[in-house]
Amino acid sequence: MATGEFRQFKLTNQDEIIAEVIDHGDDDTPDIIVRKVMKIIVVDDYDENVRFYTFKPWLSFQDDIEELSALNSVHVVGEATPSKTVMLHYVKSLSEVDKYNKLKQAGMDMNEIADTIKDMTDQEMDDFLELKFGQDNNLMDSSDPKIIKFRPRNKGDGTLH
């Protein structure tokens, strides 16, 4: 399996998660090292005969989605490549979590964050975050986590190694 590949896991406790696999482990180390881990939440509305899906961070209070986590492979009962449709929603959810966490890290409380973002479009949110933090907010922009993108005042592509 290639590093940086996104996988969907079914766990022994029936949770389903999607994550970017950093290291799949081996016989000596059963841990799968992952990041950007989101749990798939399923809600059934039996009255309307509809099923809803959403994503939420897998680990509570893990504010940095780039932070690495260890998943014990003994607790994985199934593994698959997520569909393109699921990945579109997953990436959107990662973006929402990242935006929320940036506002929280800036010192805003949950009520302020809710008031700030409740009526914003995606573009307005991106513009707000760029103004507030002066950075590009595209989570999937770089495959190398050691590269920081920024917008310099002079010429150049804005990549700092």
Side-chain angles (χ1 to χ4, degrees):
M1 172 181 304
T3 300
E5 186 176 358
F6 289 90
R7 303 295 288 172
Q8 184 171 343
F9 298 97
K10 180 78 165 187
L11 307 178
T12 55
N13 67 354
Q14 299 303 310
D15 281 355
E16 278 191 59
I17 61 173
I18 295 181
E20 179 182 12
V21 176
I22 304 303
D23 184 20
H24 211 284
D26 53 30
D27 292 338
D28 296 332
T29 310
D31 289 340
I32 303 168
I33 306 302
V34 294
R35 68 178 173 188
K36 300 178 183 174
V37 187
M38 298 291 280
K39 179 179 175 182
I40 301 171
I41 306 296
V42 180
V43 178
D44 289 314
D45 181 345
Y46 295 109
D47 294 336
E48 297 294 322
N49 197 27
V50 177
R51 177 174 280 171
F52 298 98
Y53 297 89
T54 190
F55 293 94
K56 74 172 205 167
W58 181 47
L59 297 175
S60 300
F61 303 108
Q62 188 177 21
D63 291 339
D64 184 1
I65 59 174
E66 295 291 331
E67 190 171 318
L68 299 178
S69 299
L71 174 63
N72 188 322
S73 62
V74 173
H75 297 285
V76 175
V77 294
E79 181 178 340
T81 301
S83 70
K84 289 181 182 183
T85 302
V86 169
M87 285 302 296
L88 288 172
H89 295 291
Y90 167 80
V91 169
K92 175 76 172 157
S93 295
L94 281 176
S95 178
E96 295 299 318
V97 168
D98 190 53
K99 289 173 186 177
Y100 171 82
N101 286 332
K102 285 178 181 175
L103 294 173
K104 193 167 88 176
Q105 289 168 358
M108 297 177 83
D109 68 28
M110 291 172 67
N111 291 330
E112 288 177 295
I113 293 170
D115 287 343
T116 300
I117 66 174
K118 69 180 178 184
D119 295 324
M120 285 186 171
T121 65
D122 287 344
Q123 184 60 49
E124 289 170 333
M125 177 59 85
D126 287 342
D127 292 345
F128 172 78
L129 288 171
E130 186 173 338
L131 178 67
K132 184 90 171 153
F133 300 104
Q135 61 187 351
D136 185 2
N137 295 295
N138 187 348
L139 292 171
M140 308 308 279
D141 198 31
S142 174
S143 61
D144 187 345
K146 295 179 183 127
I147 295 178
I148 301 169
K149 296 251 184 198
F150 68 99
R151 295 202 175 155
R153 292 185 182 153
N154 55 11
K155 295 179 184 177
D157 71 353
T159 303
L160 176 67
H161 294 264

